[in-house]
Amino acid sequence: MTPDAGGEGDPEQRVRIRLRAPVAGAAASAPDPGPEGPRPFVLTAGRVASADPAIGLETQVTAEPGASDDEVALLPPELQAIIALCAEPISVAEISARTRLHFGVTRVLVGDLRAAGHLEVHLGPGDGASDPELILRVIDGLRAIS
Amino acid sequence: MDSVRSPDWPAAPLGGLAANSAAARYGTPSGPAPAVGRAQPPHPAEPAYPPAHPPAPPAPVAGPRPEAHPGRRAAPPVPVKILIAGGFGVGKTTTVGAISEIAPLTTEAEMTSAGIGIDDPGARSAKTTTTVAMDFGCVTIDRSLKLYLFGTPGQARFGFMWDDLARGALGALVVVDSSRLDDCYPVVDYFEQAGLPFVVGVNAFDGRLALDLDAIRWALAIGEHVPLVRFDARDRLSVRDTLLVVLDRALQRATRDRGA
């Protein structure tokens, strides 16, 4: 009994269907297939609070250079994907978007990976919003856009 | 065992990293909005943007990649953020996309027809999907400073996200559609209470405003100190100038706090 015999079983095909841009009318009237895959917080074993609440959307993350590849290879694919993305400095929001994980899930996983020594989380000096110098630099940078 | 399906949720990420751009999710806009505002290859027949000035246009700089140093690693940039808030279909994603150097990404799924009726985008919109979480983009200011723009829905039931978003934000731009003002009341209230500097930007759809700015200011009951500007979410320079107004407010607050 292979109910997936058609295009359904081919992962390529299925992914393409999921990502297809909605066509006005046609897609809107299609029946809702319901949630797919496991619920988001399964990956964190149900934890919703990160080890470090200071990790924000824009917090920059990099891979820890010392991390051994053997160790990384033993991690679940989601975590490996996160580490792979962090080869260059990247924000937690971007990790969340690119791995298509819920932001809350990403934050917990990043906290875990940091605790395990795989990632470096760059929590800056904190309140940039109160630094006029920083704001002036942003203003100058935006003015240069044409 | 036809009930067992391999979970296809984690299958997506590695294959299609680029697939999560807002453009891929929302499709090309069917309305009059032209290609999501990015001035990517400056259209030859379009004189709207002045030809690149000598101070290199920052747009094509490939995101967060200052040459890969195999040995030593560059320090990550200091992130700063501005929020773009507003009701459904007012042009938050377009605003982010107009100035971001990456195609706007989104951290959540879109709301489909299930949300229509609750989140009515109005008679003038052909929108069938909309964002339930955040769209965001970024602008690299220089090697050590990066500006992030986070779009967030303005209705009260998304308030759970605002604390996270507002923490450390420089300021906020509340985007409103002059024909549907009520969507943005909760977020205006929130920013007022949180003391976050904000600016109300009226997105002039096709250059038309349903009400004049004074009437809008009265309807929103915002004080004289809150700038109310009219802008075009599709136009890079218009978005840039509006963000500069936000930053001006942020600077005022920062210098005032510093002086106090």
Side-chain angles (χ1 to χ4, degrees):
Chain A
M1 215 172 125
T2 51
D4 283 349
E8 258 280 291
D10 177 11
E12 280 293 314
Q13 175 96 6
R14 206 157 51 203
V15 168
R16 195 144 17 94
I17 289 171
R18 278 165 47 92
L19 297 177
R20 190 177 52 196
V23 183
S29 62
D32 180 12
E36 293 180 42
R39 290 177 178 275
F41 282 89
V42 164
L43 284 172
T44 68
R47 287 166 304 145
V48 292
S50 169
D52 195 339
I55 298 178
L57 283 158
E58 73 283 10
T59 303
Q60 299 286 310
V61 182
T62 50
E64 193 67 65
S68 82
D69 288 349
D70 298 345
E71 224 174 287
V72 171
L74 295 175
L75 294 171
E78 294 82 10
L79 299 186
Q80 289 187 28
I82 291 177
I83 294 172
L85 283 170
C86 297
E88 298 284 341
I90 189 171
S91 63
V92 179
E94 224 170 322
I95 295 173
S96 164
R98 293 195 190 278
T99 56
R100 308 191 73 183
L101 294 170
H102 192 289
F103 170 66
V105 174
T106 313
R107 176 151 69 173
V108 174
L109 296 182
V110 166
D112 289 354
L113 286 170
R114 178 204 206 187
H118 292 300
L119 294 184
E120 200 175 335
V121 176
H122 303 268
L123 297 170
D127 206 7
S130 59
D131 182 2
E133 296 295 317
L134 200 65
I135 297 173
L136 281 171
R137 276 171 68 197
V138 180
I139 290 176
D140 286 345
L142 274 186
R143 285 218 179 103
I145 289 179
S146 54
Chain B
M1 286 293 282
D2 54 5
S3 61
V4 176
R5 295 184 53 205
S6 67
D8 60 353
W9 173 253
L14 291 175
L17 289 186
N20 196 23
S21 71
R25 280 182 172 273
Y26 307 144
T28 44
S30 51
V36 195
R38 301 197 68 203
Q40 244 213 358
H43 231 263
E46 191 179 57
Y49 309 118
H53 287 302
V61 173
R65 296 176 188 281
E67 311 105 46
H69 290 295
R72 61 169 256 278
R73 288 134 30 86
V78 173
V80 292
K81 64 181 167 183
I82 292 179
L83 311 187
I84 312 289
F88 281 89
V90 298
K92 296 184 297 294
T93 307
T94 310
T95 306
V96 173
I99 197 148
S100 172
E101 66 202 11
I102 58 169
L105 293 167
T106 182
T107 57
E108 275 273 11
E110 69 271 27
M111 176 173 283
T112 55
S113 49
I116 289 170
I118 302 168
D119 300 306
D120 186 359
R124 286 161 55 191
S125 172
K127 232 179 138 145
T128 56
T129 66
T130 193
T131 320
V132 292
M134 296 160 273
D135 285 330
F136 67 96
C138 59
V139 180
T140 300
I141 301 294
D142 59 41
R143 202 172 278 267
S144 61
L145 190 58
K146 197 165 178 182
L147 172 65
Y148 285 88
L149 301 167
F150 289 103
T152 177
Q155 289 91 332
R157 65 203 153 81
F158 295 102
F160 67 94
M161 305 192 308
W162 297 341
D163 281 336
D164 257 348
L165 282 164
R167 193 182 308 126
L170 296 183
L173 169 64
V174 179
V175 183
V176 303
D177 173 351
S178 58
S179 60
R180 288 182 293 127
L181 291 177
D182 50 346
D183 278 352
C184 69
Y185 292 142
V187 80
V188 167
D189 285 347
Y190 177 84
F191 290 149
E192 274 178 347
Q193 281 169 19
L196 190 70
F198 71 99
V199 170
V200 177
V202 183
N203 189 4
F205 283 88
D206 301 327
R208 286 174 306 182
L209 289 188
L211 299 164
D212 65 29
L213 290 183
D214 286 340
I216 292 171
R217 179 181 290 280
W218 177 83
L220 291 177
I222 48 174
E224 288 297 321
H225 60 281
V226 176
L228 179 65
V229 297
R230 166 190 171 149
F231 79 114
D232 184 341
R234 299 168 300 182
D235 181 42
R236 186 185 186 80
L237 293 181
S238 178
V239 171
R240 179 198 72 174
D241 292 342
T242 311
L243 291 180
L244 284 171
V245 179
V246 176
L247 287 167
D248 195 52
R249 288 273 297 154
L251 185 61
Q252 280 174 26
R253 184 184 71 161
T255 45
R256 196 178 55 225
D257 290 356
R258 185 58 59 96

